[in-house]
Amino acid sequence: MAALLGWTTVSATAQGYETEATAAYVIDHGSGQVLLAQNADVPLPPASMSKLMTLLMAFEALRDGRLSLETRIGVSEHAMSFGGSTMFLNTTDRPTVEDLIRGIIIVSGNDASVALAEALSPDGTEAGFARIATERARALGMASTTIVNSSGWPAPGHVMSMRDLGILAEEIITAHPEYYRYFVETEFDYENRAPANRFNRNPLLGLGIGADGLKTGHTQEAGFGLVGSAVQGSRRVTFVITGLQSAEARARESERILNWAFRQFVERQVVTQGTEIARVPVFMGTGPDVAIAPARDLSLLVPVVGEAPLHAEMTYISPVIAPVAIGDTLGEMVVRLGEGDDLIEHRIALLAAQDVPEGGIVVRLSTAMRAVMEEVFGPTPTPAGG
């Protein structure tokens, strides 16, 4: 049996935030709600933000034991040949994996990205790494991502969407907290090679607004972008922006978008664990019905201003055959907020909130007799109330 519950509340898409970025994606980490999606699924050049894919592959190799932080990595001619932002590695160097991770995160080293990618590649080449990185991206649901290289160096076909970068950032934060700590470091100087290039470019670090990651990006084609994340109170917000015209515009818009995400939404309790929400008929029991209640709490973010419908649907067994034990799963509630690609769906088990033992011989005989009578004469009319 199914039942629809119509709840009027506010939708996460009701705010209409206007960003200066050409494409943007903002997600609340705890609830999974998408707060903003502007051109979020358009494949675009990601610049150095795509180094996050190289980092994820490295973190997974560390988790699996294929690498350790102390593993020393050779530097190829190909890795050494890159300009732009670098660690100034050469072919005589043997940096550790930890050196390369910090070199990628903090100084955005193109040479560090290539050296690490070649170590992870099945054939020792950056192209080989790109193939497995694209496969891994697809497995994560990053449908608009094609990896051509490890650093984000401009190349035909090397594209990622802002939503995909958001998925990637959330995976790093959730699955690899032991390595996420590197993203908050503000300075790294490898053997005094590049003292002028030793500072983290993330403009939000050190502002006292809870920012702790992730990665900037800039090329002439892509403009200025940032995959960022911050924690304030009990909430974490992750965002991706690109296409800004300057580093100053990137810093300004990044802080503005975080302020909006944290200030213009409030958390509302939608479902409370253990609270009776319906009663289900019981067949052959000592009582006529049993209360059902959600198995867990559910809170959703809603904008301070704006209104849209939130829908919930319950499906449950009816009638339930006795005996029923407290905690038995009798149905499910589905709560939906938003629409299209930004639809958030929560599924919550509905549990029996009480015991209903099986009835004795009298109950079973009377139930059987009532069933026979209804089969012959139809259901007994319910008296009208006064």
Side-chain angles (χ1 to χ4, degrees), residues 269-290:
Q269 187 86 2
V270 177
V271 171
T272 302
Q273 180 181 2
T275 300
E276 178 183 330
I277 59 173
R279 300 194 72 86
V280 178
V282 176
F283 185 70
M284 292 281 193
T286 56
D289 52 29
V290 60

Side-chain angles (χ1 to χ4, degrees), residues 71-128:
T71 302
R72 293 198 171 271
I73 303 296
V75 179
S76 68
E77 292 276 357
H78 176 59
M80 188 185 73
S81 70
F82 278 82
S85 182
T86 76
M87 285 176 62
F88 292 93
L89 298 172
N90 60 60
T91 55
T92 65
D93 290 321
R94 293 295 183 273
T96 65
V97 167
E98 185 174 40
D99 288 333
L100 295 175
I101 288 172
R102 296 178 75 197
I104 294 170
I105 292 173
I106 301 166
V107 304
S108 199
N110 293 319
D111 48 359
S113 295
V114 176
L116 195 51
E118 289 175 340
L120 294 167
S121 171
D123 62 5
T125 68
E126 189 178 18

Side-chain angles (χ1 to χ4, degrees), residues 26-334:
V26 183
I27 185 170
D28 179 78
H29 179 81
S31 67
Q33 287 178 237
V34 176
L35 307 182
L36 176 68
Q38 176 175 303
N39 297 323
D41 296 304
V42 178
L44 296 170
S48 286
M49 295 186 293
S50 71
K51 288 183 171 78
L52 291 175
M53 194 70 215
T54 305
L55 289 165
L56 175 65
M57 300 288 281
F59 296 158
E60 291 179 342
L62 287 166
R63 178 195 62 199
D64 298 342
R66 290 176 285 128
L67 289 177
S68 74
L69 290 175
E70 296 75 31
T71 302
R72 293 198 171 271
I73 303 296
V75 179
S76 68
E77 292 276 357
H78 176 59
M80 188 185 73
S81 70
F82 278 82
S85 182
T86 76
M87 285 176 62
F88 292 93
L89 298 172
N90 60 60
T91 55
T92 65
D93 290 321
R94 293 295 183 273
T96 65
V97 167
E98 185 174 40
D99 288 333
L100 295 175
I101 288 172
R102 296 178 75 197
I104 294 170
I105 292 173
I106 301 166
V107 304
S108 199
N110 293 319
D111 48 359
S113 295
V114 176
L116 195 51
E118 289 175 340
L120 294 167
S121 171
D123 62 5
T125 68
E126 189 178 18
F129 168 82
R131 286 192 295 273
I132 62 170
T134 299
E135 291 172 3
R136 182 68 183 114
R138 293 284 191 273
L140 287 170
M142 299 164 60
S144 301
T145 290
T146 301
I147 301 296
V148 173
N149 59 53
S150 63
S151 65
W153 194 264
H158 185 79
V159 292
M160 304 177 80
S161 71
M162 300 306 100
R163 188 186 304 273
D164 285 0
L165 281 163
I167 292 170
L168 177 55
E170 290 284 282
E171 177 69 12
I172 289 173
I173 292 167
T174 301
H176 303 285
E178 68 274 38
Y179 305 121
Y180 186 65
R181 61 186 172 86
Y182 291 113
F183 286 93
V184 79
E185 293 186 15
T186 58
E187 188 174 345
F188 176 61
D189 186 7
Y190 178 69
E191 295 186 351
N192 201 32
R193 296 279 180 90
N197 188 41
R198 69 183 189 275
F199 297 110
N200 196 320
R201 292 170 174 78
N202 187 335
L204 300 180
L205 299 181
L207 295 185
I209 59 174
D212 56 7
L214 294 160
K215 189 73 191 71
T216 58
H218 170 243
T219 62
Q220 185 172 356
E221 182 183 16
F224 289 81
L226 174 64
V227 182
S229 191
V231 176
Q232 294 185 16
S234 61
R235 289 182 58 203
R236 174 181 288 279
V237 169
T238 300
F239 70 93
V240 189
I241 54 175
T242 194
L244 280 303
Q245 296 302 305
S246 66
E248 293 74 21
R250 173 176 63 192
R252 181 177 61 249
E253 181 61 14
S254 297
E255 188 171 3
R256 191 169 76 98
I257 213 165
L258 276 181
N259 182 67
W260 168 79
F262 282 118
R263 303 290 174 269
Q264 297 304 313
F265 293 84
V266 292
E267 191 174 46
R268 292 283 184 255
Q269 187 86 2
V270 177
V271 171
T272 302
Q273 180 181 2
T275 300
E276 178 183 330
I277 59 173
R279 300 194 72 86
V280 178
V282 176
F283 185 70
M284 292 281 193
T286 56
D289 52 29
V290 60
I292 56 174
R296 62 179 175 88
D297 293 339
L298 174 63
S299 297
L300 293 174
L301 288 177
V302 296
V304 175
V305 179
E307 190 168 300
L310 169 70
H311 295 288
E313 182 181 53
M314 294 189 300
T315 57
Y316 51 85
I317 302 166
S318 180
V320 182
I321 300 175
V324 180
I326 188 169
D328 284 352
T329 300
L330 302 182
E332 182 181 61
M333 172 182 282
V334 181

